[in-house]
Amino acid sequence: MVTIHIDNQSYQVEAGANLLQACLSLGLDLPYFCWHPALGAVGACRQCAVKQFKDENDSRGRIVMACLTPAQEGLRISIADPEAHAFRAGVIEFLMENHPHDCPVCDEGGECHLQDMTVMTGHVHRRYRFAKRTFRNQYLGPFLNHEMNRCITCYRCVRFYRDYAGGRDLNAMASHNHVYFGRIEDGVLENEFSGNLAEVCPTGVFTDKTFKAHYTRKWDLQTAPSICVHCGVGCNTLPGERYGTLRRIQNRYHHEVNGYFLCDRGRYGHGFVNSEKRLRQPLLRTEGSETVAPVSPTEALAHLAALCAGPTVIGIGSPRASVEANFALQKLVGPERFFNGMSASDAGLTRLILDILTRRPVRSPSLHDMEQADAVLVLGEDVTNTAPRIALSLRQAVRRAALEIAGARHVPLWHDGAVRDAAQSAKSPLFVATHSATRLDDVAAETWHAAPDDLARLGFAVAHVLNPDAPEVPGLDAETAALAGRIALSLSAAGRPLVVSGTGCGSPAVIRAAANVAMALGRTGQPAELCLVAPECNSFGAALLGGEGIDAALLALERGEAETAIVLENDLYRRADRAAIDRALQAAKHLVVIDHLGHATAAQAELVLPAATFAESSGTLVSSEGRAQRFFKVFAGNGEARESWRWLEEAQRAAGRGNGFDGLDDVIAACAAAHPKLQGIAHAAPSAKFRLLGEKIPRQPHRYSGRTAMLGGINPDWSVAILPLPHTTPHGLQPVADRSPLGRAGEGRGEGVPLIDTSAKGNVPHPNPSPARGRGANERPQINIHEQKPPNDPDTPLAFSMEGYGGAAPAALIPVYWAPSWNSVQALNRFQDEVGGPLRGGDPGVRLIEPGADWIWFSEIPAAFQRRADEWLIVPLYHIFGSEELSPQAPAVAERCPRPYLAMNPADADALGLKAGDQADLRLPEGALRLPVELRGDIAPGMAGLPAGLEGTAGIGLPGWGKIDRETRP
Amino acid sequence: MNAILNSLRTMGLIFLHAFRKRATILYPEKKPYIPPRWRGRIVLTRDPDGGERCVACYLCAVACPVDCIALQATEDGQGRRYPEFFRINFSRCIFCGYCEEACPTYAIQLTPDFEMCEYDRRALVYEKEDLLIAGPGKHPGYNFYRVAGLAIAGKDKGEAENEAPPVDVRGLMP
Ligand code: SF4
Ligand code: SF4
Ligand code: SF4
Ligand code: SF4
Ligand code: FES
């Protein structure tokens, strides 16, 4: 700690800290653009100027950039100094010379860092009178809008996209005041993290395109802390709602988990919440009828209660439903008849992973921990496509070596430009051993593509080199042995090695091998880090409740051991063989499905109950780090959709066996009591009773607008409020409203002022689209303009209101980042003790999993992969857009999803006489598929890749053996 | 005695008032003069080209102290923003004029019309078609899109007022 003097006040700050960061951490308002806590400083914008003085007698001082100045003992600066202030205002004035007059139509408006900084510097009047420079925009794909006129050349975008996220197709182009940030030519931005540009760019150049389609200002969004449901990483998100539809998702900072960034699947995959396929009402199939009919919740519950009273009811839970929903189902059917809803393979792998992480001496790292690793082995997991945010962290881990070199030369680590100069292209070792190429290969020291069994053998071999006690791999070939030696050498030389694996290649052997490597790296009392990626957002939560996978449930139904199945937020057809499911559902007498979207399983149900999505309910998810995190209802939802656990509890009440679950806290308490391993979930966030100064925390910003008019429209269902109105083209005139007083516009009022031009009146038919939009009360009988009481929320300490405690909320409950003078996402600085550090009061969530001490080696080493003469090993290829169930429901994500294909080694394809693009017939135990062939050199001979989880490939158990033929014409 | 005289005098003066010119008018048969800047019924105006002026920026809504303006932004295919719906609940409006002051496009204007009584409160909820008038109101010449940098149908990049033609990014000239 050193003492620095800012405007003659003394402060204690960390020695060598970035002065700008220190000022912001102290709560001082100092404008800046190019510095970013995760990207460091380059001094590109010259906005953070302060005056530095030699000592207390120096009255002249000199202007320095705070973001390039290390804090030293006795440093004396002034932010308020008139010259420094004028300098900063001047910089803004320069930036504004060419800035378009766009704020009203700019999506950044109201949360624009440039607006904030302009106001902060006091620049108000445009003096520059020459023409403004303009740019043409580019089409950048479905995720981002581009409006280059608004650029202030801070370089944050390319520094994030290229330097941080490893993208290649965005760059700074041209020179002097023509510098242009975009692609060489129009086209989709390739990087999986491109959406972060909307938050990284301090202006409206890059904005969220999907948000633009139903744009709302930040001050009008109702928001609540949430958790991403699109993979097992558990990134923290801030979804925003308006008029009953979910409008966007922004990053919610969590120092240990996602930090400042989300992946594009998480940011853009929320469209299913607004989907047309949403179930909004209970549906019941009456005896003997083919179709279902909507029924009231009471009828639906009575029906469910009657079914539950019948013999043997089984419950099929879901790894994408909350812990609470799964627990409520388990409570209803009893633990013996509860199945966790995962595919047979996932259930087994998840159980194995949990066993490793809780019993073996290995620690599941957070993303932040992974970024500190200085040597990484990725074994069998294509993280970019299965747990995308991890890939971004691994890219940062690769930079450890660069930071070490810079540190050794006494370059401050926040001085990004200098660090990159000092370290050049130095990289920490990252080894990627997977069954096909991954997007991390470009920063890997070595990559190796082989069959899952060979990957496992490599892992076992590495473990054996690291620790001779670990079992030796029999019959290891020289090439693999040499590679294992190199990997072992790098890992053992590292101060903080990391092993990453997961369920991605569907092989328990790979996971065991990864566990052996991690154990071999660990020391007593100092377990090594092993990240095992779980397939879904609550795989661990569902698995910790116990129960078998789906195969067991299907068997029970098929054998007639159960009559009724209640399926919770799960489409069985994505998780098992179609024929097996058909057989089981045929055998089942009654099928009840609780879910938010209609799907193949729901289509067969006798009773369908509409479930609230993550945005309309509150609950807990357990990430693959083992962190239990609470997500909160963002809005009350439309129609009859309600939390799954509420349906289940109400059904039990209707049957007279309620559990007394009145609110979420009751479910959590019961769950924690029943499952000691889940005890921690109660502490994931404050309970519903939590109050600050006796008040709840408002979900709506204090400037939330339209409160007395949004319900004044057609009907209390807010979503109906946005019925489209016919629009005027700029050229064609629209009819004028001729409320009667207007007809007398001239009389008695300021004569001669042409207030209202009534010339068009009467010539154009009135475009009244709906009977609700007539004029006068008689034509709008159904309007109710009485404001409704805000919906009650018994489950959380948050309120559906703009009223409540306006001060700082605990980290788990922060609904929006805003502070006086800071309207943009940068307001986050005000919620951290040290900018870039943990949230004030500690980051939310509770780790449920800690290392065990059973130092037992896994010794089930598989034999080396042997290709078969007429069969191929079909391995799953994951796609960030497409392999997950819910995100493709969002139109923008759907645009990025691939169509099913078959990836083959060129030599294999050649042998079959197949060329790229030819149709091939793939015959699997589950059935046959006709697919276009893609030639991929990274797929080993004897193997073929099939995209996982797409429409048409979901439900196929991979890896598995299959036959491939040239298209046989029928 | 004095008091009696005073009273009589007062009565006399009041009696004389009966012959003075009348200050009240026979409303509604006769209309009073209302200055053009009077803050009465709110309208949405059009720009000189006849296009809807409102760009759905939400500034009037956020400025409104009683929160009686609700709208939803949308866009035509060519970059022009407009409100998909625009609703003012006049049973809440206090005619403060903050919306007009906040409006960056002169779209929303208060007019000298105060005669909007209704027997039914519900009739005081005005939708866009009730608000939109055919002319530019108090600001005849202003067209936001002529100064804004956004390209819309009929106005490409570089064609706004005070704009240089778009930069050729591939050009090598200094
Ligand atoms: S980037 Fe900011 S300052 Fe520029 S037009 Fe958009 S909102 Fe206004
Ligand atoms: S596009 Fe945005 S982030 Fe990139 S340089 Fe311009 S203002 Fe900065
Ligand atoms: S990495 Fe996973 S949890 Fe994080 S945003 Fe992406 S899909 Fe969501
Ligand atoms: S302030 Fe003006 S332009 Fe903006 S939404 Fe209101 S009326 Fe439209
Ligand atoms: S923030 Fe310091 S120069 Fe940009």
Side-chain angles (χ1 to χ4, degrees):
Chain A
M1 284 298 203
V2 292
T3 307
I4 63 170
H5 312 278
I6 305 174
D7 289 319
N8 295 321
Q9 288 261 7
S10 304
Y11 299 95
Q12 292 284 314
V13 302
E14 206 68 54
N18 182 302
L19 183 58
L20 171 61
Q21 188 169 11
C23 289
L24 294 171
S25 301
L26 291 169
L28 303 169
D29 283 347
L30 178 56
Y32 67 95
F33 288 117
C34 64
W35 176 81
H36 185 289
L39 305 177
V42 288
C45 70
R46 318 316 276 176
Q47 186 59 65
C48 61
V50 293
K51 197 167 243 187
Q52 183 180 351
F53 300 96
K54 274 212 291 288
D55 49 40
E56 53 269 62
N57 304 320
D58 179 3
S59 59
R60 284 186 57 205
R62 62 192 178 101
I63 287 197
V64 296
M65 294 306 128
C67 74
L68 294 179
T69 308
Q72 282 157 351
E73 180 61 39
L75 181 75
R76 199 165 271 281
I77 60 155
S78 168
I79 296 175
D81 179 85
E83 226 181 347
H85 192 270
F87 184 98
R88 296 193 297 263
V91 170
I92 290 273
E93 186 165 13
F94 277 128
L95 294 176
M96 285 297 175
E97 274 177 7
N98 290 313
H99 205 76
H101 188 75
D102 269 1
C103 294
V105 288
C106 178
D107 286 358
E108 197 81 356
E111 49 181 327
C112 175
H113 189 56
L114 177 57
Q115 282 180 332
D116 288 351
M117 297 300 100
T118 307
V119 173
M120 205 178 273
T121 58
H123 168 73
V124 285
H125 186 70
R126 180 178 166 83
R127 293 187 291 171
Y128 184 78
R129 287 200 266 148
F130 303 96
K132 293 179 183 179
R133 171 210 57 202
T134 60
F135 289 111
R136 293 210 179 276
N137 303 325
Q138 286 182 325
Y139 167 78
L140 297 177
F143 295 155
L144 285 170
N145 192 58
H146 193 222
E147 188 61 44
M148 245 319 277
N149 282 353
R150 300 173 187 151
C151 178
I152 56 165
T153 46
C154 68
Y155 281 77
R156 265 187 176 195
C157 51
V158 286
R159 290 177 56 225
F160 168 74
Y161 195 85
R162 300 181 69 88
D163 299 349
Y164 196 89
R168 288 157 186 271
D169 57 334
L170 182 85
N171 216 340
M173 289 174 259
S175 61
H176 57 100
N177 79 337
H178 288 178
V179 180
Y180 187 91
F181 296 85
R183 301 181 81 246
I184 301 278
E185 54 183 15
D186 285 28
V188 178
L189 277 177
E190 286 162 10
N191 195 274
E192 294 79 7
F193 306 95
S194 63
N196 293 300
L197 290 175
E199 288 184 46
V200 167
C201 174
T203 72
V205 175
F206 296 105
T207 49
D208 182 336
K209 205 180 208 172
T210 61
F211 185 38
K212 185 177 156 74
H214 47 193
Y215 182 68
T216 301
R217 294 273 178 223
K218 178 179 180 178
W219 62 65
D220 281 343
L221 285 173
Q222 175 162 267
T223 48
S226 192
I227 304 294
C228 179
V229 295
H230 300 289
C231 86
V233 176
C235 296
N236 289 210
T237 58
L238 266 184
E241 171 266 0
R242 178 78 176 172
Y243 300 139
T245 55
L246 190 62
R247 297 298 171 100
R248 72 159 169 201
I249 284 199
Q250 274 199 318
N251 183 61
R252 179 163 69 98
Y253 182 81
H254 191 297
H255 184 248
E256 286 300 315
V257 186
N258 47 307
Y260 289 86
F261 308 114
L262 291 180
C263 81
D264 288 355
R265 175 150 100 194
R267 187 178 297 269
Y268 296 108
H270 60 270
F272 72 92
V273 177
N274 305 332
S275 166
E276 306 243 298
K277 293 194 210 152
R278 275 298 297 279
L279 302 163
R280 305 266 184 206
Q281 258 197 312
L283 303 169
L284 182 65
R285 191 188 308 272
T286 36
E287 280 290 350
S289 158
E290 276 297 294
T291 54
V292 286
V295 290
S296 74
T298 328
E299 284 173 77
L301 286 167
H303 190 86
L304 181 52
L307 289 182
C308 293
T312 48
V313 185
I314 60 163
I316 302 180
S318 169
R320 67 166 160 85
S322 66
V323 171
E324 291 81 359
N326 278 304
F327 175 70
L329 180 62
Q330 189 179 47
K331 198 83 187 150
L332 191 153
V333 297
E336 327 75 49
R337 275 170 290 186
F338 172 77
F339 301 86
N340 62 30
M342 293 184 227
S343 69
S345 153
D346 280 352
L349 295 175
T350 309
R351 199 175 312 120
L352 172 65
I353 289 180
L354 277 177
D355 187 65
I356 290 171
L357 293 181
T358 49
R359 310 245 312 265
R360 308 287 155 129
V362 291
R363 186 173 180 280
S364 66
S366 66
L367 292 183
H368 184 257
D369 294 331
M370 292 191 219
E371 290 175 9
Q372 317 304 317
D374 51 359
V376 184
L377 168 64
V378 178
L379 198 64
E381 188 77 15
D382 179 5
V383 280
T384 313
N385 290 307
T386 59
R389 183 61 184 77
I390 290 181
L392 193 59
S393 290
L394 294 184
R395 273 186 193 278
Q396 311 322 309
V398 169
R399 290 209 64 224
R400 269 357 278 180
L403 296 179
E404 258 160 48
I405 294 173
R409 297 192 187 164
H410 305 292
V411 175
L413 298 187
W414 43 258
H415 201 317
D416 194 51
V419 170
R420 283 176 201 277
D421 281 347
Q424 297 296 322
S425 59
K427 290 191 189 69
S428 301
L430 164 69
F431 297 94
V432 183
T434 42
H435 57 57
S436 58
T438 74
R439 300 271 285 167
L440 277 174
D441 290 2
D442 61 333
V443 284
E446 281 194 66
T447 61
W448 198 56
H449 302 138
D453 281 350
D454 287 345
L455 299 174
R457 287 167 66 84
L458 173 71
F460 282 116
V462 173
H464 178 70
V465 180
L466 285 168
N467 186 337
D469 291 347
E472 195 178 349
V473 180
L476 196 66
D477 61 283
E479 192 199 340
T480 316
L483 177 63
R486 293 195 296 276
I487 296 174
L489 194 64
S490 287
L491 291 179
S492 59
R496 195 165 173 182
L498 167 69
V499 184
V500 179
S501 186
T503 55
C505 58
S507 155
V510 168
I511 294 173
R512 292 194 188 105
N516 265 14
V517 178
M519 282 193 286
L521 285 166
R523 314 267 169 281
T524 317
Q526 200 193 341
E529 288 175 336
L530 172 64
C531 165
L532 293 172
V533 176
E536 277 166 85
C537 63
N538 196 28
S539 294
F540 280 11
L544 284 170
L545 285 171
E548 304 277 310
I550 253 178
D551 46 331
L554 296 180
L555 210 62
L557 286 173
E558 206 177 323
R559 288 207 194 123
E561 289 162 14
E563 280 203 349
T564 305
I566 304 178
V567 177
L568 172 76
E569 302 185 28
N570 206 334
D571 179 6
L572 305 181
Y573 286 96
R574 290 186 61 89
R575 301 182 192 276
D577 179 15
R578 173 164 289 272
I581 299 170
D582 285 341
R583 281 198 306 275
L585 296 188
Q586 287 290 314
K589 289 225 173 62
H590 311 280
L591 175 65
V592 180
V593 171
I594 308 177
D595 209 343
H596 23 258
L597 294 171
H599 46 57
T601 312
Q604 307 208 24
E606 161 180 333
L607 176 66
V608 180
L609 296 172
T613 62
F614 75 94
E616 300 141 353
S617 62
S618 310
T620 313
L621 302 175
V622 185
S623 73
S624 32
E625 185 201 341
R627 188 180 287 268
Q629 305 188 98
R630 190 98 72 241
F631 60 95
F632 293 97
K633 225 183 221 199
V634 179
F635 64 113
N638 310 310
E640 295 296 344
R642 54 187 84 169
E643 296 87 345
S644 301
W645 67 260
R646 276 221 152 83
W647 281 122
L648 294 165
E649 169 68 7
E650 282 168 17
Q652 279 185 282
R653 278 189 195 175
R657 330 182 260 130
N659 298 301
F661 295 165
D662 290 320
L664 185 71
D665 288 335
D666 302 329
V667 192
I668 292 174
C671 180
H675 297 278
K677 284 181 190 156
L678 285 164
Q679 225 156 33
I681 62 171
H683 309 292
S687 80
K689 291 205 196 70
F690 179 84
R691 294 288 182 279
L692 283 164
L693 296 182
E695 295 195 88
K696 283 193 153 201
I697 294 152
R699 286 179 171 91
Q700 300 165 358
H702 62 290
R703 273 316 304 143
Y704 196 71
S705 81
R707 190 172 39 90
T708 64
M710 60 163 76
L711 294 180
I714 319 306
N715 116 17
D717 180 355
W718 297 359
S719 63
V720 183
I722 40 176
L723 286 175
L725 262 184
H727 165 56
T728 68
T729 58
H731 312 295
L733 272 187
Q734 272 278 301
V736 180
D738 56 344
R739 288 202 154 245
S740 52
L742 265 186
R744 292 175 273 127
E747 304 173 34
R749 304 179 171 84
E751 242 83 14
V753 183
L755 259 185
I756 285 130
D757 169 9
T758 49
S759 57
K761 199 173 66 179
N763 323 346
V764 197
H766 201 281
N768 211 356
S770 85
R773 283 166 194 277
R775 278 157 286 164
N778 298 338
E779 291 170 56
R780 285 191 198 134
Q782 65 273 61
I783 292 182
N784 179 8
I785 55 171
H786 292 280
E787 284 117 48
Q788 316 268 312
K789 188 170 165 279
N792 190 21
D793 183 2
D795 299 331
T796 78
L798 297 152
F800 293 110
S801 164
M802 53 201 279
E803 287 161 25
Y805 182 76
L813 299 176
I814 300 169
V816 66
Y817 296 124
W818 182 87
S821 301
W822 299 84
N823 298 294
S824 75
V825 281
Q826 328 274 335
L828 167 60
N829 294 343
R830 291 286 186 268
F831 292 80
Q832 300 157 323
D833 272 329
E834 186 200 336
V835 174
L839 289 167
R840 195 162 293 137
D843 288 297
V846 179
R847 275 177 64 97
L848 300 179
I849 294 172
E850 292 303 345
D854 292 358
W855 215 301
I856 305 165
W857 301 105
F858 286 105
S859 50
E860 304 94 323
I861 302 176
F865 172 70
Q866 288 294 328
R867 71 169 299 173
R868 297 188 186 169
D870 53 353
E871 275 191 322
W872 276 260
L873 180 67
I874 313 295
V875 289
L877 301 181
Y878 291 90
H879 288 272
I880 175 171
F881 308 117
S883 293
E884 187 258 348
E885 177 178 0
L886 297 173
S887 52
Q889 300 294 335
V893 171
E895 230 180 278
R896 298 285 307 271
C897 292
R899 306 193 56 76
Y901 60 89
L902 186 68
M904 292 188 79
N905 188 285
D908 282 5
D910 209 37
L912 285 176
L914 286 164
K915 294 191 297 300
D918 283 357
Q919 298 284 324
D921 284 335
L922 170 65
R923 264 177 261 281
L924 291 160
E926 285 92 351
L929 290 168
R930 177 159 300 170
L931 301 157
V933 171
E934 265 187 28
L935 301 185
R936 292 255 305 253
D938 54 297
I939 306 251
M943 289 186 356
L946 183 68
L950 302 187
E951 214 177 301
T953 67
I956 297 177
L958 298 173
W961 292 93
K963 289 190 173 25
I964 301 174
D965 301 301
R966 279 177 67 120
E967 179 185 14
T968 43
R969 299 205 185 278
Chain B
M1 193 61 206
N2 235 352
I4 294 174
L5 282 181
N6 260 347
S7 298
L8 287 175
R9 183 173 161 272
T10 310
M11 286 162 74
L13 284 175
I14 290 167
F15 179 71
L16 284 178
H17 268 290
F19 303 101
R20 291 265 176 88
K21 190 166 175 263
R22 275 194 305 187
T24 52
I25 58 161
L26 287 175
Y27 180 82
E29 287 78 27
K30 271 215 149 82
K31 304 287 178 193
Y33 169 76
I34 310 272
R37 283 169 55 181
W38 175 271
R39 299 197 307 261
R41 183 169 57 84
I42 298 171
V43 294
L44 287 175
T45 62
R46 290 168 185 280
D47 60 32
D49 303 339
E52 248 177 79
R53 244 183 192 156
C54 173
V55 299
C57 70
Y58 296 96
L59 289 180
C60 50
V62 73
C64 178
V66 291
D67 290 344
C68 73
I69 305 180
L71 65 147
Q72 173 59 51
T74 189
E75 217 175 86
D76 69 7
Q78 287 140 324
R80 191 177 168 116
R81 287 232 173 157
Y82 67 96
E84 190 172 13
F85 78 88
F86 194 111
R87 182 182 307 132
I88 301 183
N89 180 355
F90 279 113
S91 70
R92 288 285 180 174
C93 176
I94 55 169
F95 300 96
C96 62
Y98 282 12
C99 50
E100 178 169 7
E101 209 163 300
C103 181
T105 66
Y106 296 136
I108 199 168
Q109 297 178 12
L110 278 76
T111 68
D113 175 20
F114 57 88
E115 298 168 311
M116 17 184 350
C117 310
E118 300 279 356
Y119 286 105
D120 188 338
R121 257 185 74 185
R122 293 176 297 180
L124 286 167
V125 178
Y126 282 36
E127 298 290 334
K128 189 166 90 174
E129 67 258 33
D130 307 325
L131 296 164
L132 200 61
I133 63 163
K138 287 179 266 190
H139 300 274
Y142 187 72
N143 184 338
F144 171 78
Y145 280 109
R146 284 193 207 146
V147 278
L150 223 56
I152 56 161
K155 193 210 78 174
D156 201 0
K157 289 281 173 200
E159 291 176 9
E161 283 169 21
N162 223 6
E163 270 189 359
V167 161
D168 173 11
V169 184
R170 294 189 166 73
L172 291 173
M173 296 305 283

